[in-house]
Amino acid sequence: MSAPAPDPVAPVARPAPRLVARTVEIDDPGPLLGLLPPGAEPFSWVRRGEGIVGWGEAARLRTTGPGRFREAERGWRRLLAGAVVRDDVGLRGTGPVAFGSFAFADASSAASSLVVPATVVGHREGRWWLTRTTTGESGPSIGATIPGPVSGAPPQQPDGPPPGTVVFADGAVSSPDWESLVGRAVARVERGELDKVVLARDLLARSSTPVDVRGLLRRLAAAYPATWTFSVDGLVGATPEMLVRTQVRLVASRVLAGTIRRTGDDAHDLALAASLARSSKDLGEHEYAVRSVVEALTPFCAGTNVPESPFVLHLANVMHLATDVTGVLRDDVSSLRLAEALHPSAAVCGTPTAAAAALIDEVEGMDRGRYAGPVGWLDSDGDGEWGIALRCGQVGDDPHEVRLFAGCGIVAGSDPAAELAESAAKFVPMRDALGG
Ligand SMILES: C=C(O[C@H]1C=CC=C(C(=O)O)[C@@H]1O)C(=O)O
């Protein structure tokens, strides 16, 4: 007699997936970004050759709305609770890691995600490692075994295709309209409704060939070595701004706000850097951003260190006022929890936060998606690095299309034409990397 057909409405006991991860030390495999294989979605968090890259997908958590950070963190802890890990290296970022990218706004239609790649290769302080992670159903059999042996370093991959011909078009708001909405925002600031607001615009790039994200990453890393070159779920860029990094109980944040364009003439650029460091408008704009970060970090810290004045960070396209804030954490708190507390800082939203967020909603005319949200990674101890997704683009479902973003801090006295020019300078890294 054949077995009865299963009842289609009966609940199926579905055990949580179980992560099984193994990390081994490997020899120097060459540049991390050269390891990304074609045909697999690349994950990247690399600066000056150090960091982590990944590909393949062992597990994915997708969240939306105001609870997107908490829900992702809970999901990550659930995955780790049943994980079987053998980590022969024991550094920050070894063992299972998740790359993540979070929407800027609570109401965004863009999903936020934490993704555990099947393969991760990392490099830090003269050591290289390889982590392979798989997911199985939980149960005694899989829990008893560690995948292995893990083979040696993955090979360097040949260069991808050269960039195609790229044409750019206005995004949600044309340049003249954006200039006039900046003018309206300046008036609102000068009326005393708020102190600062960061307004952004988008550009649509269309390439004659499918965009090769690996090529974008390599070109961004070569041209902008002081930035973190990231790629998570099609959001690709080179951010100079570190929202939060944790290492055991130490926390650090690089705050940027206040910008001047470079001219390409070194002597002139040095004079411009000096004028940026003295500009009361830029120093004020910067101070709001620093204060927002310090206020958000303070409840978590036994102590913080905030330099009295900013330094000037030189990038190939622009120079920024920059402050490195550091602190000692009071409790065991994850880097993702801190990223949630720090987001959105006044470098991407404004001061006061609620008034600035409301003005952005009212006038910007677009959903920022994951632009200006936290992007980075965390490990099984909760340590990680979360940058702010700036100088970036979102590759579309159609791989010929990329949506680029740039924003500018608006304070009393901001000049709309100068802000438009500044936003154009902030598009340069992605425009150049796309070959445009
Ligand atoms: C919002 C962006 O930059 C922020 C970070 C550094 C300097 C900024 C500024 O000077 O306006 C912005 O606050 C962007 O690049 O899209």
Side-chain angles (χ1 to χ4, degrees):
M1 202 175 115
S2 60
D7 176 351
V9 291
V12 180
R14 183 182 286 280
R18 166 166 287 191
L19 283 187
V20 182
R22 168 110 193 250
T23 298
V24 294
E25 189 140 3
I26 55 174
D27 292 336
D28 176 358
L32 291 180
L33 293 173
L35 300 172
L36 294 166
E41 203 219 306
F43 295 93
S44 167
W45 183 261
V46 174
R47 180 176 185 255
R48 298 195 195 285
E50 295 201 351
I52 52 175
V53 292
W55 57 91
E57 192 173 304
R60 167 179 293 271
L61 301 161
R62 183 184 179 282
T63 62
T64 54
R68 60 197 179 286
F69 294 96
R70 297 289 167 99
E71 221 183 290
E73 175 141 14
R74 270 199 302 273
W76 179 231
R77 286 190 197 285
R78 259 198 314 273
L79 271 176
L80 292 171
V84 179
V85 177
R86 182 163 146 198
D87 179 356
D88 296 347
V89 182
L91 291 177
R92 215 164 61 98
T94 64
V97 294
F99 284 79
S101 171
F102 288 81
F104 173 80
D106 288 355
S108 175
S109 65
S112 302
S113 53
L114 278 185
V115 186
V116 185
T119 302
V120 170
V121 183
H123 169 38
R124 197 182 311 285
E125 293 159 17
R127 297 178 74 183
W128 286 263
W129 65 89
L130 168 69
T131 301
R132 290 217 197 269
T133 307
T134 56
T135 334
E137 298 294 290
S138 55
S141 54
I142 185 113
T145 56
I146 298 281
V150 182
S151 54
Q156 286 287 314
Q157 301 289 332
D159 284 349
T165 305
V166 183
V167 289
F168 295 91
D170 280 341
V173 177
S174 69
S175 308
D177 286 351
W178 195 76
E179 222 180 300
S180 65
L181 71 82
V182 168
R184 293 208 305 277
V186 173
R188 305 267 290 260
V189 171
E190 291 178 349
R191 278 208 300 271
E193 287 182 31
L194 70 173
D195 298 313
K196 172 181 176 180
V197 62
V198 180
L199 292 179
R201 53 190 278 252
D202 62 339
L203 269 190
L204 302 178
R206 186 163 180 90
S207 168
S208 58
T209 55
V211 170
D212 175 32
V213 172
R214 301 169 314 133
L216 286 182
L217 291 169
R218 290 188 202 188
R219 291 189 286 278
L220 287 169
Y224 296 89
T227 66
W228 288 268
T229 309
F230 63 87
S231 166
V232 179
D233 281 354
L235 187 69
V236 187
T239 183
E241 185 149 10
M242 173 66 78
L243 183 64
V244 66
R245 172 178 60 212
T246 63
Q247 180 159 16
V248 195
R249 289 281 167 97
L250 299 179
V251 60
S253 177
R254 168 163 291 179
V255 187
L256 304 181
T259 303
I260 199 158
R261 281 172 291 145
R262 285 187 80 155
T263 61
D265 169 346
D266 284 351
H268 190 197
D269 286 348
L270 273 182
L272 287 175
S275 72
L276 178 66
R278 285 192 307 268
S279 152
S280 52
K281 175 219 162 244
D282 289 290
L283 287 166
E285 185 183 331
H286 186 74
E287 181 54 28
Y288 290 124
V290 172
R291 209 179 309 147
S292 72
V293 164
V294 174
E295 278 171 8
L297 274 183
T298 298
F300 297 96
C301 288
T304 52
N305 179 48
V306 189
E308 258 173 35
S309 42
F311 64 96
V312 177
L313 178 73
H314 295 242
L315 302 172
N317 56 332
V318 292
M319 295 176 282
H320 292 302
L321 292 178
T323 297
D324 286 338
V325 176
T326 53
V328 178
L329 292 169
R330 205 192 296 280
D331 300 308
D332 196 11
V333 51
S334 84
S335 58
L336 184 55
R337 172 75 190 90
L338 293 171
E340 177 190 22
L342 286 161
H343 176 76
S345 83
V348 287
C349 183
T351 308
T353 309
L359 187 56
I360 290 169
D361 252 9
E362 183 190 325
V363 303
E364 211 170 60
M366 66 172 186
D367 182 339
R368 291 186 176 188
R370 291 179 290 137
Y371 156 72
V375 61
W377 61 272
L378 89 164
D379 68 14
S380 57
D381 294 328
D383 276 340
E385 303 186 29
W386 296 95
I388 302 181
L390 303 176
R391 319 300 146 79
C392 62
Q394 175 69 52
V395 181
D397 292 337
D398 174 350
H400 295 80
E401 287 177 358
V402 186
R403 188 172 164 223
L404 314 186
F405 300 90
C408 301
I410 310 300
V411 292
S414 290
D415 168 24
E419 300 301 335
L420 183 68
E422 182 178 316
S423 71
K426 287 171 172 168
F427 281 127
V428 165
M430 283 300 292
R431 284 185 82 124
D432 286 354
L434 282 162

